[in-house]
Amino acid sequence: MLEAPTNRRDDPRARRYIVDHLPPGETITRQLLVTNHTDERRRIDVYPAAAALEESRFVFGEGRAANELTSWISLDRTTVELGPEAETRVRATIRVPPAASAGERYGVIWASTTSLPRRGGQVTQVHRVGVRMYLDIGPGGEPASDFTIGDLIPARSPQGEPSVAIGVTNTGGRALDLTGKVALTEGPGGTQAGPFDVVQGTTLAPGQSGQVSARFPAELSNGPWTLRVDLESGLVKKTATGRIEFPDPGQTGKPGTILSRLTTWWNVAIAAAGVLVVAGLTTLARRSRRRIPVGR
């Protein structure tokens, strides 16, 4: 991504993906940077395709699968030729029909290239990378984003690797991409460990509940431990702490005792204020050079 709306300049998701709220009849544009990181000249196809949220995941459609959102998208170029380490820009225009119904749509803009079969072979490889799209349609202001942290459930795999599953519910009106860290303190003898990254890939639709997880070294003792989890999606950040104890290998432990929950409210306030700047939807600011690499 080369552009993001000025009213989302502090939102890390809007610098990675196309994230917006638009009224029916609105038009926006975004510039994407396509880079060839291979040592060969490449023909690269650029095209929109469908996506959906299924089982707490952002799921891409097969091939060039279409949906309502993809029918609103046009590109100034659909094919580019790039030499080794060369780059170019592609502009995407999204035109929302005046009669579009309210709700959030999902899609992706792909950059795709095909490798020729190796000598004597018959297998053709297709490489593609892309930028996700989260486009909410409706009159007035954008629905607020929010979530709650629920149960903390410790477990150990049959191989002895400890983990914790963290329950999350999307209580807002926009999809969430959850990231975060987990730290362990006040263990046996005052020991501590981490922080550890949560496993990425959990995307929750509005009203949906799911889990994120974190894994720890196998040598970690059963505890008990004080666990602190910091989760975020865009500008919304939540923290929860609890006491947990890991079970023996191959077992799931009892849910931890929650000690506290905290919301970083000033970030939520920034997000709410930003959606009031309707003019900012068509005033685009170059914030970061989000590259779409090819061949990596």
Side-chain angles (χ1 to χ4, degrees), residues 16 72 81 126 191 284 295:
R16 297 177 57 197
W72 303 346
E81 295 273 353
V126 177
T191 53
L284 306 176

Side-chain angles (χ1 to χ4, degrees), residues 214-270:
R215 301 187 182 100
F216 312 106
E219 60 270 18
L220 201 71
S221 70
N222 285 351
W225 298 88
T226 294
L227 180 147
R228 171 178 169 137
V229 53
D230 294 285
L231 296 180
E232 63 182 85
S233 176
L235 295 171
V236 185
K237 299 182 180 181
K238 299 291 180 99
T239 297
T241 58
R243 289 290 284 178
I244 66 168
E245 186 167 355
F246 294 107
D248 293 331
Q251 298 183 13
T252 298
K254 296 179 180 179
T257 301
I258 299 295
L259 302 177
S260 66
R261 292 185 175 93
L262 175 67
T263 299
T264 309
W265 289 108
W266 68 272
N267 274 337
V268 176
I270 290 173

